[in-house]
Amino acid sequence: MFLPRRKSTVLAIAACSAFSLWYFNYIQPALGPLIPSRYSQDHSSQAQSIHAAEIPAPKPPPQTPIQDHAPPPPPPPPPSHSDRKLEPSLQPGKLSEHYPAKTFIPIPKGSPVDIPHIQHDFGTETQDEKAEREERLATVKKSFVHSWQGYKKHAWKEDELMPIQGGHATTFGGWGATLVDALDSLWIMGLKDDFEEAVKAVDEIDFSVAKLETLNVFETTIRYLGGFLGAYDISGEKYPILLSKAKEVGNLLYTAFDTPNRMPVTRWKWEAAKKGAKQEAHPNSLLAEVGSLTLEFTRLAQLTDDVKFYDAIQRITNVLHEYQNKTVLPGLWPVMMDAQHAKFDDVGFTLGGMADSTYEYLPKQHLLLGGLTQQYKKMYEATLAPITKHIFFRPMTPDNADILVSSGVRVNGNAEVIVPDFEGQHLGCFTGGMVGIAARIFNRPEDLIMARRLVDGCIWAYNHTQTGIMPEIFTMVPCKDDACKWDESRWLKFVAIKSHRIEGVPTGLSDEEKGRWTARMDRLPQGFSSIKDTRYILRPEAIESVFIFYRITGEKKYQDAAWQMFTAIENYTKTDIANAAINDVTAETPIKDDRMESFWLAETLKYFYAIFAHPGVLDLDKYVLHVKFMILLLLRTRPSLKLRSICSSKSRHSILATANSNGHRPTAIEASNPVDIYRSHISELLAPVAKKPAKDIYDKLSWILPFDKGDLGLSVPSLRVPPKEACAKASEWGENFPKSDLVEKPIVAGTYIQFFFKPQPLMNLIVPSILQKKSLYGTNPQSGLRDESDPSKGRKRTVIDFSSPNIAKPFHAGHLRSTIIGGFLANLYEAVGWDVVRLNYLGDWGRQFGLLANAFEILGSEERLEKDPIGHLFDIYVEINNISRPEEEEIKRKKEELAQASTDGKSIADLEMQIQTLESKSVNEQARQYFKRMEDGDKAALATWRRFRDLSIERYKKTYSRLNIRYDVYSGESTVEKERMDHAVKQLEKSGLCEVLQGATMVDFTKNPKTQKLRKAVVRKKDGSSLYLTRDIGEAFKRVEVYQPDKLVYVVASQQDLHLAQLFKILELMGHPDVAEKCQHISFGMVQGMSTRKGTVKFLDDILRDVGEKMHEVMQKSQVKYGQVENPEQTADTLGITAVMVQDMAAGKLINGYEFSLERMTSFEGDTGPYLQYAHARLCSISRKAGLSAGDLESADLSLLHEPHAINLVRVLSSWPDVVQNTMKTHEPVTVLSYLFKMTHMISSSYEVLRVVGTEEEVKKARMALYEAARQVLNNGMKLLGLSPVERM
């Protein structure tokens, strides 16, 4: 944590700064491992005209092939499902080296030089100041204790706490990252008993057991090596076990430097090393991962007097020093480096994520070495000129604040053009503290002004959001001159730059109007030109720099700023258990995420505590603050793929041992699906018998229903065995299948081999796995990777278009199926690891809006519009149509007269005049004229349309929230630019695919026998206006361009089968088969008989109200249970929505329609939504009555579960991950629903046999563990379907 400088040698290394989560969520999936997306954004020439070089417009560099022996840094490779015991040759310090260092660079020794003081000389505070400070200090400590107690209760010795549901997440090796991380905080806050308890716990950590196939050197260094060293130093070296653990980790990590050039392998494949494989550093490495190991290894060398640790990192420093002025931006190193060849050819530069602490460590390493070498000072000072010129910028703000923000740049051409991104990161807030410390120790007082402006910039970002909390990533407008006066027009133009990438931006707006619309929709405070990542994930960087600058200057305003920051964070993040990340700092009520990163206790709260503590606590003239990067966030925010140490029983370990003894190495997918361990086991045993590759057998082992046919089955002909030989081969293979501890002797049925799992090993594997994984059981993030062997290629992405109601009309019940199905599919794709864009393509353009606008002018009421916008708009729409109907009937009658007169040879001039007059005055003609004004960009017409659209969307959102539906994008026909549609038609014309007939442009599919069924498709009317198909073509290309998806899913009723088939074929014929192949139509049948009790208009809100009332009536029949429900009306509403959704999904295949039945859907008899909710509520009730803790369930003796009911139930539970994977193939929600009903029937039949209450204690624990596992799977399945499970009813 810290270093008493000058003549003392005590060091403690503490956590401060961070490596950004957004890299893995946004940058890496889009561009691969080379550069972040902010360096590759392309903006319009319009943006360039605002201010030269203000907006980046580079092209991404070519991808560099990834070598097999060294996977790319982000994201970390998927963990294995099992603990992996290191071979003796691989235990710390025992691995033979291929490229040993022939000489060692000695650590500088001697008396430390005189380094200027950092910390302000604090005077005596007043009694009032002391009382206020100590009150704030106690409040921060209380917050820490609250979170620490939550961790102890719910996640002790685990990596991270889940602060909402109370579980834990294994995010980094399972060695207890939060436990080790928070040691120094416990000591600093005087929690000595907790510290002692924690030290005893870390003594039990066994670093010769790895849960990962690949060890991340960087993360292991900062979390564990740094954590142990910091605790050892801050506690006065009183706990030798901490140094012993540090040495254990250090020796293990040192092997990563065994490469030809001694540059580290940041992803160390220890299994390959065990076999004697040579290793090399990777050509695509993150600067921060390579350049940020200095403090920990140096301090370890100082404490152990083992020079090899210092030698390891000093070689890296020498390479950085040698090439510092040879990059395309001399003085700085690019984000990506070629560690294998010591090259720095990349063109993206930043002090933010992926590079940050390489720079931050320079002045701190100077301190740690006592100033005995000037190398780090020179390297830091060499960075200042390019940083101040290109990285730090002053943004334009409404209050004309004199602040700075740290951003990034990209160098284009032969270093001729340097393009900034003007993007700030919460992570980048460490820069103020870095510059402040360096200004002091290197005697650069003028740099304190720059440090202050950087710190003030982060405080400004906190103060100007709805919550008072700074967002993760944002952009701001750079000043155009030294005066830097606020210019709202210029700000709006910058905001508008983003509008072309936001679905739903109205067409025909000026730049300022686009900017104002975007600012309103994105809730942008003035000053922010965009907020790319609205989250706050409990980060420490801002408070770190505020703390440091307060200690440097002694100015109380920084204490006050810190208190305001803490109060806001505590207000929005506190949970009953601890504190949680929030999803949107711009929202009035942000949603909490069930994540508490370990740096909340290890860093954020430590700095909040320190700023209100006595200045002697964390004295900056005694200690060097160590930085921990947030690269660890990649594992935390993505669901864990490893099967954790789910129980301590020997039986579970025997399962893994059995699998491993046959040569199997469990994969990450097996970690998500424990049954795949059995697949691998069977494959390895059967391969030598069948003389077939184990992989081929693995792929053909299928999940079986019903269970009397086995747990897994193998069709022998599927392995390319001739049909005549299949029966004989099946018998031969079954007879010769080796004896196994996991599976019974297989049963052969013709050409089919049935495998049954032995009950007890399965019980010992599945139940603890579910209890530990909780909501993650059944998910498989690994399968969402574009390339499972190369995670750097990112995750597959799908855009799911569903619901799509018509603006200004109530949510029609006919849209219900699309909404339910689309919501389910979005959940499903996310469960298997895809990035999902939920898109609502609204019917928001066309003549009907002209009709509606005219109706409002004639019939509208502002008062009614404000009170019930959609209801009022619908009423006047119906009324204007009633007015229009007689007009249209008269016009039709006159046209029939004209036709007859023409046939009879009579004069038709008068009739033509009459028709022309009627049409020109008709409501429909006025509507057409109004819509023409909209298409021509008339501001008044667009303003009215935009108002109706915005009001409709807000109302829709309320309906969607009741259905657990959310959208990432509200798009619509209005957002398809005319240029895109015109371009599409021109392409069709150029390729000869379309023709003009009676003035209209169409594609005639009937001319080709292969496409005759697609008929003729009109793409442009004779008046030049567009149609649905034209807009859909333009929209498809837009989605591909904006989202770069792997799949485009359209959830649309079967009535549109022809339309979508025409669309996909046109995309193909236009020369874009790649786009057509991405498109998938999820077609579904229609609902019959869906109406309200009164038989009136079929609006969804009416339907849900009726069903909710019906469920409320049913609930009230049992007054005892009714009285126990906390909010019966809300519960009834939830049950009603469940009833509607389950009836829809239970109708069989989606293509089938069904008859809507209020009585059937609200019944508790049969397979209905209420029955599912009852099953979940009853399991919750049993849990409450049992009164057992999570610890009781985890320690249960599962060998006591030997009844057939228990065995069959665990077999069903084991198949849930397979159900999820199989549903990805079918896209049918009924697959999930049928599984849940089968499981609940089985549970129901078990209650009499597997009683919980009143049984012997150990039996009670075992049965309750099984029931809790069943409840968790039921809960997971219901949420996957989009349902909200209730606990009482």
Side-chain angles (χ1 to χ4, degrees):
M1 173 176 276
F2 316 104
L3 168 67
R5 297 186 291 104
R6 299 175 179 82
K7 300 192 177 180
S8 176
T9 60
V10 178
L11 163 74
I13 300 179
C16 324
S17 183
F19 174 70
S20 126
L21 173 66
W22 57 263
Y23 171 72
F24 300 106
N25 280 350
Y26 301 101
I27 296 170
Q28 192 275 332
L31 293 177
L34 295 182
I35 59 173
S37 63
R38 65 175 186 274
Y39 300 142
S40 62
Q41 291 172 350
D42 189 10
H43 296 272
S44 65
S45 58
Q46 177 186 25
Q48 296 288 350
S49 68
I50 297 173
H51 190 236
E54 288 182 335
I55 303 299
K59 296 179 180 179
Q63 297 284 333
T64 302
I66 304 300
Q67 298 188 359
D68 291 337
H69 64 273
S80 167
H81 74 288
S82 62
D83 292 351
R84 295 175 175 273
K85 188 76 174 180
L86 298 178
E87 297 292 330
S89 63
L90 200 61
Q91 291 180 1
K94 296 184 179 180
L95 182 68
S96 59
E97 293 184 271
H98 293 286
Y99 310 101
K102 297 180 180 179
T103 59
F104 292 100
I105 301 173
I107 189 169
K109 294 191 176 182
S111 299
V113 301
D114 189 15
I115 299 176
H117 283 274
I118 298 174
Q119 189 152 300
H120 176 73
D121 187 11
F122 288 88
T124 304
E125 61 188 346
T126 67
Q127 287 300 317
D128 288 343
E129 288 173 338
K130 181 179 180 181
E132 180 188 66
R133 177 180 61 78
E134 290 183 344
E135 181 181 3
R136 293 174 173 180
L137 182 73
T139 303
V140 174
K141 182 176 180 179
K142 182 179 179 181
S143 177
F144 179 95
V145 171
H146 174 65
S147 291
W148 177 252
Q149 292 299 326
Y151 172 73
K152 286 177 62 178
K153 181 177 180 181
H154 297 282
W156 184 239
K157 297 183 184 180
E158 300 292 344
D159 285 345
E160 287 181 359
L161 166 69
M162 299 176 73
I164 297 176
Q165 70 178 23
H168 66 265
T170 302
T171 53
F172 186 47
W175 290 323
T178 294
L179 179 67
V180 179
D181 248 357
L183 284 170
D184 50 6
S185 298
L186 292 168
W187 183 273
I188 291 166
M189 295 187 191
L191 301 171
K192 298 302 188 293
D193 290 342
D194 288 288
F195 180 86
E196 296 274 1
E197 182 182 12
V199 170
K200 291 179 182 178
V202 300
D203 188 18
E204 299 172 6
I205 298 175
D206 184 1
F207 285 101
S208 70
V209 176
K211 294 183 178 179
L212 305 177
E213 295 181 355
T214 302
L215 296 181
N216 187 301
V217 171
F218 169 75
E219 294 173 350
T220 308
T221 298
I222 62 175
R223 294 297 174 188
Y224 294 102
L225 180 55
F228 288 129
L229 291 172
Y232 180 71
D233 281 330
I234 198 67
S235 61
E237 303 182 3
K238 296 177 183 178
Y239 299 85
I241 184 59
L242 296 175
L243 181 58
S244 176
K245 285 293 181 182
K247 288 193 293 186
E248 184 179 349
V249 176
N251 279 317
L252 183 63
L253 292 172
Y254 183 74
T255 58
F257 292 80
D258 183 27
T259 64
N261 64 354
R262 302 297 299 176
M263 297 293 278
V265 180
T266 56
R267 301 292 194 277
W268 182 44
K269 286 185 173 292
W270 58 265
E271 285 192 317
K274 175 180 64 178
K275 298 175 182 177
K278 295 182 179 181
Q279 55 191 14
E280 292 182 296
H282 197 267
N284 291 328
S285 298
L286 294 178
L287 176 66
E289 287 199 344
V290 177
S292 306
L293 309 173
T294 50
L295 291 181
E296 299 90 341
F297 275 75
T298 297
R299 184 54 183 161
L300 185 60
Q302 290 174 335
L303 290 172
T304 62
D305 204 27
D306 191 340
V307 70
K308 72 180 182 183
F309 297 115
Y310 179 78
D311 172 83
I313 56 91
Q314 187 56 36
R315 291 174 186 269
I316 298 173
T317 299
N318 290 344
V319 171
L320 292 173
H321 195 188
E322 178 183 355
Y323 288 92
Q324 184 172 12
N325 292 315
K326 298 178 182 179
T327 67
V328 293
L329 189 57
L332 304 182
W333 302 278
V335 171
M336 299 301 300
M337 62 172 291
D338 180 348
Q340 186 178 108
H341 305 99
K343 293 182 179 180
F344 300 82
D345 298 331
D346 200 41
V347 295
F349 297 80
T350 182
L351 264 65
M354 302 175 289
D356 48 355
S357 50
T358 297
Y359 297 94
E360 186 178 3
Y361 273 18
L362 297 175
K364 292 182 177 182
Q365 182 75 343
H366 179 84
L367 286 173
L368 181 56
L369 293 173
L372 293 173
T373 172
Q374 295 298 299
Q375 183 182 25
Y376 291 90
K377 177 177 183 287
K378 292 177 181 178
M379 292 170 71
Y380 172 81
E381 291 180 336
T383 68
L384 285 177
I387 285 174
T388 55
K389 183 177 181 181
H390 300 297
I391 301 296
F392 297 159
F393 76 98
R394 181 184 178 186
M396 182 181 70
T397 66
D399 54 353
N400 299 315
D402 186 15
I403 60 176
L404 291 177
V405 174
S406 179
S407 65
V409 299
R410 180 179 176 82
V411 181
N412 288 344
N414 296 315
E416 296 174 355
V417 179
I418 297 176
V419 185
D421 60 23
F422 303 118
E423 181 176 285
Q425 303 175 30
H426 193 291
L427 185 149
C429 282
F430 81 91
T431 52
M434 175 191 73
V435 175
I437 289 174
R440 286 292 204 202
I441 67 174
F442 296 145
N443 197 24
R444 301 175 59 90
E446 67 278 7
D447 287 352
L448 277 178
I449 299 173
M450 180 165 57
R452 179 188 296 276
R453 296 171 73 194
L454 287 164
V455 175
D456 288 349
C458 294
I459 295 173
W460 188 96
Y462 263 80
N463 291 340
H464 286 78
T465 66
Q466 172 72 32
T467 55
I469 303 174
M470 182 181 185
E472 280 288 292
I473 307 172
F474 58 93
T475 60
M476 300 184 75
V477 182
C479 296
K480 62 181 178 181
D481 52 39
D482 292 337
C484 198
K485 296 297 183 182
W486 174 249
D487 183 344
E488 181 170 338
S489 175
R490 183 165 177 265
W491 170 67
L492 289 172
K493 290 179 180 178
F494 267 74
V495 173
I497 291 170
K498 189 183 178 187
S499 68
H500 77 279
R501 292 187 289 108
I502 297 181
E503 298 293 351
V505 179
T507 57
L509 301 183
S510 67
D511 290 339
E512 289 189 26
E513 288 173 329
K514 284 183 180 180
R516 188 168 284 106
W517 184 92
T518 302
R520 184 176 72 253
M521 296 301 292
D522 284 1
R523 297 191 293 267
L524 286 180
Q526 286 191 332
F528 293 99
S529 54
S530 71
I531 298 181
K532 296 186 175 181
D533 189 339
T534 59
R535 295 168 305 148
Y536 173 68
I537 55 175
L538 307 177
R539 280 199 183 279
E541 298 80 26
I543 182 56
E544 172 199 356
S545 282
V546 172
F547 159 73
I548 290 173
F549 208 71
Y550 166 69
R551 288 295 183 85
I552 290 174
T553 65
E555 294 177 19
K556 187 177 181 299
K557 71 175 185 179
Y558 290 104
Q559 273 190 324
D560 295 336
W563 180 246
Q564 187 171 339
M565 292 161 61
F566 172 81
T567 303
I569 293 170
E570 186 76 349
N571 181 45
Y572 286 100
T573 68
K574 188 174 182 179
T575 72
D576 292 340
I577 296 173
N579 290 75
I582 57 177
N583 72 332
D584 190 350
V585 300
T586 71
E588 290 185 7
T589 308
I591 297 172
K592 294 182 177 70
D593 291 336
D594 203 8
R595 299 177 298 126
M596 187 184 85
E597 316 292 356
S598 68
F599 51 75
W600 170 245
L601 293 174
E603 303 174 56
T604 308
L605 286 177
K606 178 162 53 191
Y607 286 108
F608 276 119
Y609 182 90
I611 199 170
F612 301 118
H614 186 276
V617 176
L618 303 192
D619 187 340
L620 297 183
D621 289 312
K622 294 182 179 179
Y623 301 112
V624 174
L625 302 177
H626 157 65
V627 176
K628 289 178 182 170
F629 306 103
M630 296 309 123
I631 192 170
L632 190 57
L633 286 177
L634 169 64
L635 289 178
R636 294 181 186 128
T637 52
R638 292 184 177 176
S640 173
L641 299 180
K642 61 181 155 298
L643 183 61
R644 303 162 183 153
S645 294
I646 54 179
C647 66
S648 59
S649 65
K650 294 181 180 179
S651 56
R652 182 198 177 262
H653 291 293
S654 70
I655 297 173
L656 303 178
T658 300
N660 290 338
S661 68
N662 292 287
H664 170 63
R665 293 294 179 264
T667 67
I669 292 179
E670 290 159 16
S672 295
N673 184 358
V675 172
D676 281 343
I677 296 173
Y678 285 82
R679 282 189 171 90
S680 296
H681 176 65
I682 293 170
S683 302
E684 297 291 347
L685 291 181
L686 188 58
V689 175
K691 297 181 174 57
K692 298 286 184 181
K695 182 182 181 302
D696 292 354
I697 298 173
Y698 183 102
D699 292 339
K700 300 301 180 182
L701 281 169
S702 60
W703 165 51
I704 298 178
L705 279 178
F707 285 128
D708 61 352
K709 302 298 183 183
D711 295 289
L712 290 174
L714 177 67
S715 171
V716 172
S718 69
L719 291 172
R720 296 183 298 278
V721 174
K724 293 181 180 180
E725 302 176 15
C727 284
K729 288 293 182 184
S731 298
E732 176 189 337
W733 296 355
E735 181 64 29
N736 295 318
F737 187 81
K739 184 178 180 181
S740 166
D741 292 333
L742 300 186
V743 295
E744 307 285 0
K745 187 74 173 178
I747 295 175
V748 177
T751 63
Y752 204 75
I753 305 177
Q754 301 167 354
F755 296 93
F756 292 80
F757 301 160
K758 290 187 175 180
Q760 201 56 55
L762 183 68
M763 188 77 70
N764 291 331
L765 178 68
I766 297 301
V767 174
S769 178
I770 297 171
L771 296 181
Q772 291 292 326
K773 291 186 175 184
K774 298 185 184 302
S775 63
L776 299 183
Y777 181 70
T779 64
N780 184 9
Q782 183 74 3
S783 66
L785 295 174
R786 288 192 170 109
D787 184 347
E788 291 181 16
S789 66
D790 183 2
S792 69
K793 294 181 180 178
R795 297 193 172 278
K796 289 178 276 191
R797 178 176 297 142
T798 181
V799 177
I800 302 181
D801 173 346
F802 63 106
S803 192
S804 306
N806 294 314
I807 289 298
K809 293 183 180 180
F811 195 113
H812 195 283
H815 295 284
L816 178 63
R817 291 213 81 187
S818 176
T819 306
I820 293 174
I821 296 164
F824 162 72
L825 291 175
N827 295 339
L828 177 66
Y829 274 87
E830 283 185 333
V832 296
W834 284 57
D835 288 333
V836 177
V837 178
R838 294 168 168 85
L839 186 144
N840 200 335
Y841 189 61
L842 302 168
D844 64 352
W845 200 247
R847 183 189 60 83
Q848 69 270 25
F849 289 99
L851 193 65
L852 184 65
N854 288 330
F856 188 74
E857 289 181 4
I858 301 170
L859 307 166
S861 163
E862 285 290 339
E863 181 180 353
R864 291 181 60 192
L865 183 68
E866 290 296 325
K867 184 178 180 180
D868 181 17
I870 292 186
H872 181 51
L873 292 175
F874 177 72
D875 288 343
I876 63 174
Y877 186 78
V878 172
E879 192 169 347
I880 198 70
N881 272 286
N882 289 335
I883 294 172
S884 171
R885 191 172 297 112
E887 296 178 347
E888 295 304 309
E889 289 176 353
E890 177 65 12
I891 292 171
K892 180 181 178 182
R893 188 179 64 80
K894 290 291 183 182
K895 288 184 176 179
E896 290 173 350
E897 289 181 16
L898 184 145
Q900 186 61 47
S902 178
T903 302
D904 296 342
K906 298 180 181 179
S907 173
I908 60 173
D910 288 343
L911 285 172
E912 287 179 334
M913 183 64 69
Q914 292 176 30
I915 292 171
Q916 183 178 352
T917 301
L918 287 171
E919 287 182 335
S920 64
K921 294 180 179 181
S922 69
V923 169
N924 278 330
E925 179 58 28
Q926 292 174 33
R928 278 189 286 269
Q929 292 175 8
Y930 194 99
F931 180 59
K932 185 66 166 59
R933 288 169 55 198
M934 290 169 57
E935 287 194 310
D936 292 341
D938 182 90
K939 292 184 178 180
L942 287 173
T944 299
W945 163 81
R946 191 176 305 116
R947 185 186 183 197
F948 293 166
R949 186 182 193 275
D950 292 348
L951 287 170
S952 298
I953 289 175
E954 288 305 311
R955 182 61 184 84
Y956 289 149
K957 286 180 179 179
K958 295 179 181 179
T959 299
Y960 289 131
S961 67
R962 296 179 68 189
L963 299 171
N964 290 325
I965 299 293
R966 63 179 176 85
Y967 285 96
D968 301 297
V969 178
Y970 280 91
S971 180
E973 297 172 57
S974 65
T975 65
V976 184
E977 298 89 342
K978 187 175 184 299
E979 294 78 9
R980 287 185 183 274
M981 293 184 285
D982 290 342
H983 178 69
V985 174
K986 288 179 181 178
Q987 275 193 300
L988 288 168
E989 292 173 341
K990 185 177 180 180
S991 61
L993 295 174
C994 61
E995 59 187 55
V996 178
L997 185 63
Q998 296 180 348
T1001 305
M1002 65 178 62
V1003 178
D1004 188 354
F1005 291 107
T1006 63
K1007 295 181 178 180
N1008 188 329
K1010 295 182 179 180
T1011 60
Q1012 281 182 346
K1013 293 182 180 180
L1014 297 182
R1015 306 176 190 170
K1016 296 179 180 180
V1018 179
V1019 294
R1020 185 157 55 191
K1021 295 179 182 178
K1022 61 182 180 180
D1023 61 1
S1025 59
S1026 60
L1027 292 94
Y1028 291 122
L1029 184 57
T1030 324
R1031 290 191 283 270
D1032 283 349
I1033 294 170
E1035 173 68 12
F1037 288 122
K1038 183 178 182 180
R1039 292 178 189 180
V1040 171
E1041 177 184 325
V1042 173
Y1043 303 112
Q1044 300 180 351
D1046 299 270
K1047 182 179 287 190
L1048 293 171
V1049 177
Y1050 297 78
V1051 185
V1052 184
S1054 57
Q1055 295 168 324
Q1056 299 295 322
D1057 284 354
L1058 176 61
H1059 171 78
L1060 288 168
Q1062 289 175 339
L1063 170 63
F1064 299 165
K1065 179 56 70 173
I1066 287 174
L1067 295 174
E1068 177 188 337
L1069 296 177
M1070 288 176 69
H1072 297 279
D1074 56 326
V1075 176
E1077 288 172 2
K1078 295 176 187 288
C1079 297
Q1080 182 175 5
H1081 177 202
I1082 303 297
S1083 181
F1084 56 85
M1086 302 306 294
V1087 186
Q1088 305 298 323
M1090 182 179 282
S1091 64
T1092 66
R1093 285 179 173 180
K1094 298 177 182 180
T1096 54
V1097 183
K1098 306 172 186 179
F1099 295 146
L1100 182 61
D1101 284 343
D1102 298 328
I1103 297 292
L1104 296 182
R1105 183 197 62 238
D1106 283 358
V1107 180
E1109 290 175 354
K1110 176 69 174 178
M1111 296 311 308
H1112 197 211
E1113 293 171 4
V1114 174
M1115 289 172 58
Q1116 288 176 314
K1117 292 179 180 178
S1118 176
Q1119 285 298 316
V1120 175
K1121 293 184 178 179
Y1122 184 82
Q1124 296 173 349
V1125 179
E1126 184 176 348
N1127 189 337
E1129 290 81 9
Q1130 179 61 48
T1131 300
D1133 185 66
T1134 300
L1135 292 176
I1137 292 170
T1138 302
V1140 172
M1141 295 177 70
V1142 168
Q1143 180 173 249
D1144 188 282
M1145 292 183 281
K1149 290 188 176 182
L1150 292 177
I1151 198 61
N1152 299 332
Y1154 68 92
E1155 185 73 23
F1156 184 88
S1157 170
L1158 181 63
E1159 294 302 322
R1160 186 172 64 248
M1161 75 167 67
T1162 55
S1163 173
F1164 283 87
E1165 301 295 330
D1167 293 343
T1168 65
Y1171 174 77
L1172 272 188
Q1173 291 285 16
Y1174 170 76
H1176 186 268
R1178 185 171 183 183
L1179 287 168
C1180 292
S1181 175
I1182 293 173
S1183 178
R1184 288 191 296 269
K1185 291 177 181 178
L1188 298 174
S1189 68
D1192 292 332
L1193 302 185
E1194 291 176 1
S1195 64
D1197 182 1
L1198 301 178
S1199 66
L1200 299 174
L1201 298 174
H1202 48 73
E1203 300 86 352
H1205 285 79
I1207 293 169
N1208 287 333
L1209 180 54
V1210 82
R1211 292 173 71 193
V1212 173
L1213 299 180
S1214 72
S1215 64
W1216 170 240
D1218 274 342
V1219 172
V1220 176
Q1221 289 298 323
N1222 191 53
T1223 306
M1224 269 298 291
K1225 300 175 183 176
T1226 66
H1227 285 145
E1228 297 282 355
V1230 72
T1231 306
V1232 173
L1233 202 56
S1234 297
Y1235 168 85
L1236 295 182
F1237 282 131
K1238 175 176 180 174
M1239 181 178 69
T1240 52
H1241 295 328
M1242 191 171 290
I1243 294 170
S1244 180
S1245 68
S1246 300
Y1247 287 140
E1248 291 299 321
V1249 179
L1250 304 175
R1251 291 181 175 273
V1252 173
V1253 179
T1255 58
E1256 189 271 326
E1257 188 67 16
E1258 291 305 314
V1259 174
K1260 175 181 175 181
K1261 289 181 182 179
R1263 291 178 177 176
M1264 194 60 239
L1266 177 61
Y1267 282 143
E1268 175 57 24
R1271 187 209 62 79
Q1272 184 66 65
V1273 173
L1274 177 58
N1275 186 284
N1276 293 354
M1278 293 175 71
K1279 288 182 176 178
L1280 183 65
L1281 293 170
L1283 309 177
S1284 297
V1286 300
E1287 296 185 3
R1288 294 178 186 269
M1289 57 182 289

